[in-house]
Amino acid sequence: MDYKIHIPVMVKEVMELLNPVSHGTYVDATVGCAGHSLEILKRLDHQGRLIGIDRDESAIEISKEVLNDSRVILKKAKFSQLKEVLKELNIDSIDGIIFDLGVSMLQLKDFSRGFSFYSNENLDMRMDQTGALTAWDVVNKYSEKELERIFKEYGDEPFARRIARQIVRQRVKKTIDTCKELADLIERVIPRHGRLHPATQVFQAIRIEVNKEIDELIEGLSQALELLKSGGRICVISYHSGEDRVVKNFFREKQQNGIVRVLTKKPILPSLEEVSQNPSSRSARLRGGEKV
Ligand SMILES: C[S@@+](CC[C@H](N)C(=O)[O-])C[C@H]1O[C@@H](n2cnc3c(N)ncnc32)[C@H](O)[C@@H]1O
């Protein structure tokens, strides 16, 4: 698949916030299709280094082709393995790190990965295809209460209870196997509003649960802070309120403890122009902090 399928979000704003020094060592913890990595690389000289991490093998493969540069090291790993990865590379500190959370278009548009409402493939949604838990397990095995909780907590879904109840009723008759079966069920249960597919929030919530995205984020931020040099920066783009809350609270708490200086009192949002050119950027919120 073409790497240009994913348009990187708020590139100018991220670069201003990260403010790379040319000889520095940077980590892109969500290398994806390498959009932000390419921009960081442009700002580094021959001494600079970039470590690109992603838990998805296909992101690493595509980024190898896109970046193809001796200053870059790519590793398939999770946020929670950041320290381990850098230790293996004999890197004990870094000048900056970026997290661009969620999924890339490379993942969403590949129907075989089971992330899309329109896919006739089995519910999957694992970013790392060696992971044990799939979306099928969540939809067909979680209790009604658990489903309701994740739809509320990770999807801000106002019809969480109604959808959870309908899923449980349906699966007694027959398991819900494909993405399209689930999306159609949701469409029958809740009204359509505007242009967004009514299953958007539930699909997001299931994806977050499958990939344990909140736990990963909490662990990733704390490992990143340990690795940062004094004056080094963390930039995070999140795409839903639960994630943004974790990032905001993390920075706030570390600032109170005198470890971080918050660089964004309020989150930076994409411009109207960016949202019109790339509607996937609409919910993005960028926050940054500097290690004291
Ligand atoms: C929004 S995309 C990043 C796009 C990238 N910034 C670009 O411009 O092409 C998010 C990427 O982060 C990866 N990812 C999400 N959670 C992760 C985690 N806990 N550990 C490692 N990678 C993760 C996903 O697999 C996906 O490729």
Side-chain angles (χ1 to χ4, degrees):
M1 223 181 257
D2 184 358
Y3 75 96
K4 291 202 175 115
I5 191 170
H6 184 89
I7 306 170
V9 170
M10 283 196 276
V11 172
K12 185 171 152 280
E13 293 83 346
V14 171
M15 290 308 130
E16 277 170 15
L17 200 57
L18 189 65
N19 194 22
V21 287
S22 58
H23 56 277
T25 298
Y26 288 86
V27 174
D28 182 346
T30 49
V31 72
C33 297
H36 292 99
S37 278
L38 265 178
E39 290 299 319
I40 296 174
L41 210 51
K42 280 186 199 162
R43 288 158 174 83
L44 300 184
D45 63 20
H46 66 283
Q47 281 183 300
R49 275 183 301 185
L50 175 68
I51 295 93
I53 288 173
D54 204 295
R55 70 197 293 185
D56 188 337
E57 185 64 47
S58 62
I60 298 296
E61 288 308 312
I62 210 158
S63 296
K64 258 185 209 154
E65 281 175 39
V66 179
L67 296 167
N68 187 24
D69 188 301
S70 60
R71 296 167 299 171
V72 178
I73 301 168
L74 295 166
K75 287 273 173 199
K76 175 179 180 275
K78 303 190 276 189
F79 300 161
S80 52
Q81 296 170 311
L82 262 176
K83 283 206 300 189
E84 197 182 311
V85 167
L86 293 196
K87 194 166 175 216
E88 270 171 27
L89 298 171
N90 284 322
I91 297 173
D92 50 21
S93 63
I94 58 176
D95 294 277
I97 181 163
I98 148 170
F99 294 87
D100 177 19
L101 303 173
V103 271
S104 74
M105 283 297 155
L106 183 70
Q107 294 162 322
L108 284 178
K109 294 266 158 107
D110 178 351
F111 279 13
S112 71
R113 304 288 302 269
F115 284 104
S116 167
F117 330 118
Y118 305 108
S119 163
N120 267 318
E121 301 287 332
N122 265 0
L123 284 158
D124 188 327
M125 302 196 197
R126 288 170 302 167
M127 291 179 186
D128 172 359
Q129 293 189 288
T130 63
L133 184 71
T134 67
W136 190 94
D137 298 319
V138 173
V139 171
N140 289 289
K141 294 184 184 163
Y142 275 29
S143 71
E144 191 175 325
K145 274 268 154 279
E146 281 175 308
L147 288 173
E148 183 185 340
R149 180 188 64 80
I150 64 168
F151 297 163
K152 271 192 193 145
E153 222 171 276
Y154 304 152
D156 299 319
E157 173 55 66
F159 298 100
R161 175 175 293 180
R162 209 192 282 180
I163 297 166
R165 190 181 310 140
Q166 229 16 69
I167 287 176
V168 171
R169 275 193 193 155
Q170 166 61 35
R171 72 190 194 195
V172 174
K173 295 182 230 156
K174 181 202 156 299
T175 52
I176 302 165
D177 297 324
T178 68
C179 298
K180 194 160 180 317
E181 278 171 48
L182 178 64
D184 290 348
L185 177 148
I186 297 167
E187 211 166 1
R188 287 194 299 274
V189 178
I190 59 174
R192 216 178 227 279
H193 280 302
R195 284 168 52 205
L196 275 192
H197 192 291
T200 305
Q201 283 148 285
V202 167
F203 269 58
Q204 171 187 285
I206 297 172
R207 193 204 77 215
I208 290 174
E209 173 65 15
V210 166
N211 296 289
K212 303 288 176 223
E213 291 178 38
I214 301 295
D215 293 346
E216 274 290 314
L217 175 59
I218 294 171
E219 187 55 33
L221 289 174
S222 113
Q223 294 198 14
L225 189 58
E226 279 185 53
L227 290 163
L228 271 190
K229 290 178 190 163
S230 169
R233 293 182 168 190
I234 309 186
C235 298
V236 190
I237 308 176
S238 59
Y239 295 87
H240 81 99
S241 61
E243 271 173 355
D244 184 55
R245 207 172 311 122
V246 170
V247 180
K248 182 175 78 180
N249 291 343
F250 173 82
F251 281 146
R252 188 180 287 165
E253 186 203 313
K254 300 299 173 192
Q255 176 157 273
Q256 277 163 2
N257 297 340
I259 309 168
V260 161
R261 182 169 70 88
V262 175
L263 301 169
T264 45
K265 278 207 178 72
K266 290 223 167 104
I268 300 172
L269 308 180
S271 64
L272 289 176
E273 193 190 346
E274 176 165 3
V275 176
S276 74
Q277 280 167 8
N278 177 19
S280 314
S281 69
R282 66 185 176 276
S283 48
R285 289 168 220 191
L286 169 64
R287 291 185 188 269
E290 183 176 280
K291 187 159 175 185
V292 174

